[in-house]
Amino acid sequence: MNSNRRVLLFITLSVGIFLLASVAVYFYKVSWLPFNRVNLVSDVITTPPEPVKKIKDIKEDTVIAPIIVEEKPKEDFTLYQKPGFITDFSTDTNRSALENFAKKLYDLKTGKKRKIRVAYFGDSMIEGDLLTQTLRKLLQQTFGGDGVGFVPITSQVSKFRESAIADYSDGWDEDNFMQGKNRKLYLSGHSFHTSNAWVQIRDQTIHDDSAIIEKSLLCGPVKKSVALTVNNKTISFSPDKPLNRIVMARDYTRRIKLALADNQLPVYGVTFESDSGIFVDNFSFRGITGIEFAKVDSAFLHAIPDDNPYDLIVFQYGVNLMFRPNDQDFHWYSEMMLPVIRKMRNCFPESDFIVVSTTDRAFRYNGEYKSAIGIDSLIKIQALLAYETNSSFYNQFATMGGPNSIVDWAETKPTKARKDYVHPNPRGAELLANYFYAAIINDYKKYEQSVK
């Protein structure tokens, strides 16, 4: 048989088999991950939406542990619906929801020298420092500070990230959430090892030429002295703690190059920070939902605040939970995410914590793109997670415009979202950052008024 005909036959048979399997999965509601994410008929066949299932009450002693939604004195759960507003659900809405964080911001604003760190966790919605690069800039303009914060050793978006430019050699061995080498993962969901590789990173965010920037390596432990080449000079150190912050340079330069030849040392990334100010670390990982942090060692997490404390932790997830257009019951997510948030709160007891809701995402219903029919249920679940863990909540979906806002963003010129009806483009990400910054400032001003 002609080779071209064999190729055509192979493609035809493959597509045919995949089409039949898609139809079977769709109509018989079989759950298998490849067809959950990619189904050839989901956009052309529309089935009536399933009725919304009532979210079950949580009973902690059962295997399935939904959240108990109960009334609390002087708290109002319905505040989660309010756009542009950070709530800790207190009925006293004139009080700061992030009081500890706001106090530290006030210290900076009134001239006290200190470092404030924000850990911003998310999926592809913040990949490449989208949203966080604008949030960082706005916060540093208001409260001071220079430096991009944490930058991982390597990244699949390192070539288009604008806030930091990274070049690196081959030879970096990576472990991450999607792999299982049983090595310690950092907050980024990554860990790197090498027998002989280098990386060079330049901070693109600094505009003050007089700012002295501390460039530090974050790494794990190894039971011996390690030689590290920094800008062609060799330094030795003994990383004996679970997390080690190794200061490589404190000067006016914005670039650092390091080379390592020790495969036993777990390496996480490099930080760029001035002596005082606020810093926002971007911890993005494409395709996750947040439950992956159950894999990160708790003892290791407990040790992080010793050398790298965070004053505010932000969890923004959601769009990867809505991969099927008719899903409306997400109580399973509360069962898996509740212990993760409790774990993070326990490991970072001095940190304020915000759950940020999903942004809007759309599917095609009856030939027209509209917001996912289960998005309200998911956001309520996310708010319940915050409510139950004494965390704060920010409704990003309502803030960006609510139902069908992602459709408007994608179709109205100038566009603010991609035509996948999921991801804001850089213009939209900048707008989301401005909204969130405004909510933080509004919350900060409540604290400022309380101490005047």
Side-chain angles (χ1 to χ4, degrees), residues 160-397:
F160 72 76
R161 178 174 178 170
E162 296 180 353
S163 58
I165 296 176
D167 293 307
Y168 42 86
S169 66
D170 294 332
W172 289 103
D173 180 24
E174 176 187 349
D175 190 17
N176 60 52
F177 282 143
M178 302 305 178
Q179 299 170 344
K181 298 178 182 177
N182 296 317
R183 291 176 172 175
K184 295 293 176 68
L185 300 179
Y186 189 54
L187 297 174
S188 60
H190 297 268
S191 174
F192 303 92
H193 294 72
T194 184
S195 297
N196 187 20
W198 58 266
V199 60
Q200 178 174 273
I201 303 173
R202 179 178 177 83
D203 188 335
Q204 295 286 95
T205 68
I206 303 167
H207 302 292
D208 182 1
D209 293 336
S210 64
I212 295 177
I213 304 301
E214 180 180 281
K215 280 80 66 178
S216 300
L217 176 70
L218 297 184
C219 62
V222 66
K223 296 180 179 179
K224 62 178 179 178
S225 179
V226 176
L228 181 70
T229 302
V230 179
N231 294 338
N232 299 318
K233 294 181 181 180
T234 300
I235 63 173
S236 297
F237 60 96
S238 298
D240 56 355
K241 294 184 290 187
L243 176 68
N244 302 273
R245 173 180 283 270
I246 309 302
V247 178
M248 298 180 290
R250 279 190 76 255
D251 51 34
Y252 299 105
T253 64
R254 310 296 181 252
R255 179 189 65 84
I256 197 81
K257 182 177 181 180
L258 63 93
L260 181 67
D262 192 325
N263 195 49
Q264 295 181 45
L265 179 70
V267 179
Y268 307 126
V270 174
T271 65
F272 294 77
E273 297 177 350
S274 56
D275 290 338
S276 179
I278 186 167
F279 312 98
V280 179
D281 290 352
N282 175 289
F283 293 121
S284 60
F285 199 108
R286 183 184 301 178
I288 68 172
T289 63
I291 61 177
E292 291 77 8
F293 285 94
K295 302 177 183 178
V296 182
D297 181 68
S298 292
F300 176 53
L301 289 175
H302 269 291
I304 291 176
D306 292 340
D307 280 331
N308 202 64
Y310 285 100
D311 303 287
L312 178 65
I313 294 176
V314 184
F315 256 37
Q316 177 189 321
Y317 297 102
V319 293
N320 293 312
L321 294 161
M322 297 180 290
F323 55 86
R324 293 180 298 203
N326 293 318
D327 283 354
Q328 298 180 71
D329 187 350
F330 296 95
H331 77 275
W332 63 269
Y333 180 63
S334 71
E335 299 160 14
M336 302 183 73
M337 194 62 177
L338 183 63
V340 170
I341 295 180
R342 285 178 172 163
K343 171 182 175 179
M344 295 293 287
R345 299 231 58 182
N346 183 51
C347 292
F348 294 88
E350 303 300 318
S351 305
D352 280 343
F353 200 100
I354 301 181
V355 175
V356 173
S357 84
T358 182
T359 53
D360 189 22
R361 75 154 300 169
F363 291 99
R364 186 182 294 171
Y365 300 102
N366 296 320
E368 181 180 1
Y369 278 98
K370 296 181 181 179
S371 293
I373 60 175
I375 198 165
D376 289 336
S377 298
L378 174 58
I379 292 170
K380 185 174 183 180
I381 284 289
Q382 292 179 313
L384 289 172
L385 288 168
Y387 186 72
E388 195 65 20
T389 58
N390 297 316
S391 303
S392 296
F393 184 76
Y394 173 74
N395 194 326
Q396 190 166 228
F397 169 73

Side-chain angles (χ1 to χ4, degrees), residues 6-19:
R6 285 199 297 269
V7 171
L8 179 61
L9 180 61
F10 173 77
I11 293 173
T12 302
L13 288 173
S14 299
V15 172
I17 292 171
F18 193 57
L19 178 61

